[in-house]
Amino acid sequence: QDVTQVLLDFSMCATLNAAVAFCGYLVAALLVDQPLIGRRRLQQWGFLVTGTLFVVCGFLLDQLESSSSSSWLVISLYLGTSFFGQVGPNATTFLIPAEIFPTEIRTVSHGIAAASGKLGALFAAVLFNYAKSDLDMFLLSGYCSLLAGALTFWTIPESLGLPLTEMDRKWQCLVENKPYTGLANQARYLSLYERHQLAAQARGENDPANEKAGDDVELY
Protein backbone atom coordinates (compact mmCIF):
# COMPACT_ATOMS: atom_id res chain seq x y z
CA GLN A 1 0.00 0.00 0.00
CA ASP A 2 1.17 3.52 -0.80
CA VAL A 3 2.98 5.13 2.11
CA THR A 4 1.16 8.42 1.57
CA GLN A 5 -2.20 6.69 1.77
CA VAL A 6 -1.18 4.90 4.95
CA LEU A 7 -0.13 8.19 6.57
CA LEU A 8 -3.37 9.83 5.42
CA ASP A 9 -5.47 7.01 6.88
CA PHE A 10 -3.53 7.16 10.14
CA SER A 11 -3.96 10.93 10.34
CA MET A 12 -7.71 10.66 9.71
CA CYS A 13 -8.08 8.03 12.43
CA ALA A 14 -6.08 10.11 14.89
CA THR A 15 -8.17 13.18 14.07
CA LEU A 16 -11.40 11.24 14.60
CA ASN A 17 -10.18 9.91 17.94
CA ALA A 18 -9.10 13.41 19.05
CA ALA A 19 -12.49 14.84 18.05
CA VAL A 20 -14.31 12.19 20.07
CA ALA A 21 -12.00 12.83 23.04
CA PHE A 22 -12.64 16.58 22.80
CA CYS A 23 -16.39 15.94 22.91
CA GLY A 24 -15.76 13.89 26.04
CA TYR A 25 -14.03 16.84 27.69
CA LEU A 26 -16.99 19.08 26.84
CA VAL A 27 -19.42 16.62 28.39
CA ALA A 28 -17.20 16.38 31.49
CA ALA A 29 -17.31 20.17 31.84
CA LEU A 30 -21.12 20.02 31.77
CA LEU A 31 -21.41 17.19 34.30
CA VAL A 32 -18.62 17.70 36.82
CA ASP A 33 -20.42 20.45 38.78
CA GLN A 34 -23.82 18.75 38.78
CA PRO A 35 -24.83 17.98 42.40
CA LEU A 36 -26.07 14.48 41.55
CA ILE A 37 -22.79 13.59 39.80
CA GLY A 38 -19.76 15.47 41.09
CA ARG A 39 -16.11 14.54 40.75
CA ARG A 40 -16.05 11.11 42.39
CA ARG A 41 -19.00 9.59 40.52
CA LEU A 42 -17.80 11.00 37.22
CA GLN A 43 -14.38 9.41 37.69
CA GLN A 44 -15.79 6.16 39.04
CA TRP A 45 -18.28 5.61 36.22
CA GLY A 46 -15.80 6.81 33.63
CA PHE A 47 -13.39 4.07 34.71
CA LEU A 48 -16.11 1.42 34.90
CA VAL A 49 -17.61 2.18 31.47
CA THR A 50 -14.18 2.48 29.83
CA GLY A 51 -13.02 -0.77 31.40
CA THR A 52 -16.18 -2.59 30.32
CA LEU A 53 -15.79 -1.40 26.72
CA PHE A 54 -12.14 -2.52 26.64
CA VAL A 55 -13.08 -5.97 27.94
CA VAL A 56 -15.90 -6.29 25.39
CA CYS A 57 -13.49 -5.26 22.63
CA GLY A 58 -11.04 -7.91 23.77
CA PHE A 59 -13.45 -10.84 24.03
CA LEU A 60 -15.31 -10.02 20.81
CA LEU A 61 -12.32 -8.93 18.74
CA ASP A 62 -12.07 -12.08 16.62
CA GLN A 63 -15.79 -12.22 15.92
CA LEU A 64 -16.09 -8.51 15.21
CA GLU A 65 -13.15 -8.50 12.79
CA SER A 66 -14.57 -11.34 10.73
CA SER A 67 -16.52 -8.98 8.46
CA SER A 68 -16.19 -5.40 7.28
CA SER A 69 -19.50 -4.43 8.82
CA SER A 70 -18.43 -5.76 12.23
CA SER A 71 -15.15 -3.85 12.07
CA TRP A 72 -17.12 -0.63 12.43
CA LEU A 73 -18.49 -1.97 15.71
CA VAL A 74 -14.92 -2.49 16.95
CA ILE A 75 -14.06 1.06 15.95
CA SER A 76 -17.19 2.39 17.69
CA LEU A 77 -16.38 0.50 20.88
CA TYR A 78 -12.82 1.80 20.84
CA LEU A 79 -13.99 5.38 20.27
CA GLY A 80 -16.37 4.83 23.17
CA THR A 81 -13.40 4.09 25.43
CA SER A 82 -11.81 7.35 24.30
CA PHE A 83 -15.01 9.32 24.91
CA PHE A 84 -15.78 7.94 28.37
CA GLY A 85 -12.11 8.08 29.32
CA GLN A 86 -12.17 11.83 28.75
CA VAL A 87 -15.58 12.28 30.38
CA GLY A 88 -14.33 10.58 33.51
CA PRO A 89 -10.75 9.97 34.65
CA ASN A 90 -8.85 12.06 32.11
CA ALA A 91 -10.70 15.13 33.38
CA THR A 92 -11.14 14.35 37.07
CA THR A 93 -7.63 13.11 37.79
CA PHE A 94 -6.41 16.67 37.22
CA LEU A 95 -9.27 18.29 39.13
CA ILE A 96 -9.62 16.12 42.21
CA PRO A 97 -6.00 16.48 43.49
CA ALA A 98 -6.34 20.26 43.21
CA GLU A 99 -9.31 20.23 45.60
CA ILE A 100 -8.98 17.44 48.16
CA PHE A 101 -5.66 18.49 49.70
CA PRO A 102 -5.24 21.39 52.16
CA THR A 103 -3.39 24.49 51.00
CA GLU A 104 -0.26 23.77 53.06
CA ILE A 105 0.48 20.51 51.23
CA ARG A 106 -1.57 20.91 48.03
CA THR A 107 1.31 21.55 45.64
CA VAL A 108 3.41 18.65 46.88
CA SER A 109 0.43 16.29 47.01
CA HIS A 110 -0.72 17.27 43.53
CA GLY A 111 2.82 16.70 42.28
CA ILE A 112 2.90 13.22 43.82
CA ALA A 113 -0.46 12.41 42.22
CA ALA A 114 0.72 13.66 38.82
CA ALA A 115 4.00 11.75 39.09
CA SER A 116 2.08 8.58 39.97
CA GLY A 117 0.07 8.99 36.78
CA LYS A 118 3.23 9.36 34.69
CA LEU A 119 4.72 6.31 36.41
CA GLY A 120 1.58 4.35 35.57
CA ALA A 121 1.87 5.39 31.92
CA LEU A 122 5.49 4.23 31.86
CA PHE A 123 4.56 0.94 33.50
CA ALA A 124 1.80 0.36 30.94
CA ALA A 125 4.13 1.10 28.03
CA VAL A 126 6.65 -1.44 29.31
CA LEU A 127 3.99 -4.02 30.12
CA PHE A 128 2.33 -3.71 26.70
CA ASN A 129 5.65 -4.69 25.14
CA TYR A 130 5.13 -8.16 26.59
CA ALA A 131 1.51 -8.49 25.43
CA LYS A 132 1.26 -11.36 22.96
CA SER A 133 -1.85 -10.16 21.12
CA ASP A 134 -4.40 -7.37 20.76
CA LEU A 135 -6.64 -9.43 23.05
CA ASP A 136 -4.07 -9.20 25.85
CA MET A 137 -3.77 -5.41 25.49
CA PHE A 138 -7.53 -4.87 25.45
CA LEU A 139 -8.07 -7.08 28.49
CA LEU A 140 -5.16 -5.58 30.41
CA SER A 141 -6.49 -2.07 29.77
CA GLY A 142 -10.00 -3.12 30.72
CA TYR A 143 -9.09 -4.87 33.96
CA CYS A 144 -6.87 -1.96 35.03
CA SER A 145 -9.72 0.47 34.38
CA LEU A 146 -12.16 -1.64 36.39
CA LEU A 147 -9.66 -1.86 39.25
CA ALA A 148 -9.22 1.93 39.16
CA GLY A 149 -13.01 2.33 39.32
CA ALA A 150 -13.12 0.15 42.43
CA LEU A 151 -10.28 2.12 44.05
CA THR A 152 -12.09 5.36 43.26
CA PHE A 153 -15.24 4.04 44.92
CA TRP A 154 -13.31 3.03 48.05
CA THR A 155 -10.72 5.78 48.54
CA ILE A 156 -11.65 9.04 46.72
CA PRO A 157 -13.59 11.73 48.63
CA GLU A 158 -16.05 14.15 47.04
CA SER A 159 -14.95 17.80 46.89
CA LEU A 160 -17.92 19.34 45.05
CA GLY A 161 -19.47 21.99 47.30
CA LEU A 162 -16.81 21.74 50.01
CA PRO A 163 -14.94 25.04 50.61
CA LEU A 164 -11.18 24.70 50.39
CA THR A 165 -10.90 26.67 53.63
CA GLU A 166 -12.78 23.87 55.38
CA MET A 167 -10.14 21.41 54.24
CA ASP A 168 -7.51 23.74 55.71
CA ARG A 169 -9.38 23.83 59.02
CA LYS A 170 -9.61 20.05 59.11
CA TRP A 171 -5.90 19.74 58.33
CA GLN A 172 -5.00 22.21 61.08
CA CYS A 173 -7.01 20.21 63.61
CA LEU A 174 -5.20 17.07 62.50
CA VAL A 175 -1.79 18.72 62.85
CA GLU A 176 -2.65 20.04 66.31
CA ASN A 177 -4.22 16.72 67.36
CA LYS A 178 -7.56 18.38 68.00
CA PRO A 179 -11.01 16.90 67.28
CA TYR A 180 -12.70 18.08 64.08
CA THR A 181 -16.48 17.93 63.58
CA GLY A 182 -16.97 20.36 60.70
CA LEU A 183 -18.44 20.22 57.22
CA ALA A 184 -15.60 18.14 55.74
CA ASN A 185 -16.63 15.20 57.95
CA GLN A 186 -20.12 14.97 56.49
CA ALA A 187 -20.73 11.64 54.79
CA ARG A 188 -21.30 13.13 51.33
CA TYR A 189 -17.73 14.51 51.29
CA LEU A 190 -15.99 11.40 52.64
CA SER A 191 -14.67 8.38 50.81
CA LEU A 192 -16.14 5.01 51.68
CA TYR A 193 -12.92 4.17 53.51
CA GLU A 194 -13.16 7.34 55.63
CA ARG A 195 -16.78 6.60 56.47
CA HIS A 196 -15.85 3.14 57.72
CA GLN A 197 -12.98 4.58 59.77
CA LEU A 198 -15.19 7.22 61.40
CA ALA A 199 -17.90 4.64 62.07
CA ALA A 200 -15.34 2.34 63.71
CA GLN A 201 -14.05 5.23 65.79
CA ALA A 202 -17.57 6.15 66.89
CA ARG A 203 -18.24 2.56 67.93
CA GLY A 204 -15.01 2.54 69.92
CA GLU A 205 -15.85 5.80 71.67
CA ASN A 206 -19.30 4.50 72.58
CA ASP A 207 -17.90 1.26 74.00
CA PRO A 208 -17.79 1.59 77.83
CA ALA A 209 -14.69 -0.60 77.91
CA ASN A 210 -12.80 2.03 75.90
CA GLU A 211 -13.89 5.08 77.90
CA LYS A 212 -10.86 6.74 79.44
CA ALA A 213 -10.24 10.29 80.57
CA GLY A 214 -8.75 12.32 77.76
CA ASP A 215 -9.06 9.45 75.27
CA ASP A 216 -10.72 11.59 72.57
CA VAL A 217 -8.61 11.04 69.45
CA GLU A 218 -9.98 12.31 66.13
CA LEU A 219 -8.84 10.39 63.07
CA TYR A 220 -9.74 13.15 60.59
Side-chain angles (χ1 to χ4, degrees):
Q1 191 175 7
D2 183 71
V3 176
T4 303
Q5 185 62 44
V6 172
L7 291 176
L8 180 61
D9 291 343
F10 181 82
S11 299
M12 292 298 294
C13 291
T15 301
L16 176 61
N17 188 58
V20 171
F22 178 69
C23 292
Y25 271 120
L26 294 180
V27 173
L30 294 175
L31 296 179
V32 73
D33 286 328
Q34 296 298 317
L36 293 179
I37 300 177
R39 287 85 161 106
R40 177 174 55 200
R41 284 181 180 172
L42 196 63
Q43 176 166 304
Q44 175 185 328
W45 285 105
F47 273 130
L48 293 179
V49 174
T50 300
T52 301
L53 290 176
F54 271 129
V55 171
V56 170
C57 281
F59 280 119
L60 299 183
L61 187 61
D62 291 337
Q63 295 90 325
L64 293 176
E65 286 184 336
S66 60
S67 66
S68 58
S69 59
S70 297
S71 64
W72 283 102
L73 181 55
V74 178
I75 294 173
S76 299
L77 289 172
Y78 180 77
L79 291 176
T81 66
S82 183
F83 176 82
F84 286 104
Q86 309 306 320
V87 170
N90 276 6
T92 55
T93 49
F94 293 100
L95 178 60
I96 290 175
E99 295 182 337
I100 64 173
F101 298 113
T103 303
E104 186 176 342
I105 60 172
R106 184 173 300 135
T107 302
V108 173
S109 300
H110 199 310
I112 293 173
S116 300
K118 305 302 183 290
L119 184 62
L122 176 62
F123 178 74
V126 173
L127 198 59
F128 279 174
N129 188 52
Y130 295 95
K132 297 180 180 179
S133 65
D134 291 340
L135 171 63
D136 292 339
M137 288 193 287
F138 273 122
L139 294 183
L140 180 60
S141 299
Y143 293 147
C144 286
S145 294
L146 294 175
L147 176 61
L151 289 175
T152 297
F153 178 73
W154 178 250
T155 63
I156 300 298
E158 178 58 70
S159 56
L160 177 61
L162 180 64
L164 297 181
T165 53
E166 194 64 27
M167 288 298 303
D168 291 340
R169 193 165 77 85
K170 181 177 179 178
W171 170 254
Q172 193 61 36
C173 289
L174 179 63
V175 170
E176 297 176 358
N177 198 26
K178 295 180 180 179
Y180 172 82
T181 57
L183 184 64
N185 267 10
Q186 291 187 4
R188 58 177 170 168
Y189 297 121
L190 298 175
S191 67
L192 188 61
Y193 170 76
E194 290 173 314
R195 295 179 201 177
H196 278 280
Q197 288 291 86
L198 284 178
Q201 177 191 356
R203 288 193 298 269
E205 289 176 348
N206 294 330
D207 186 351
N210 292 334
E211 289 183 358
K212 292 189 267 184
D215 189 21
D216 185 16
V217 179
E218 189 74 24
L219 293 180
Y220 299 98

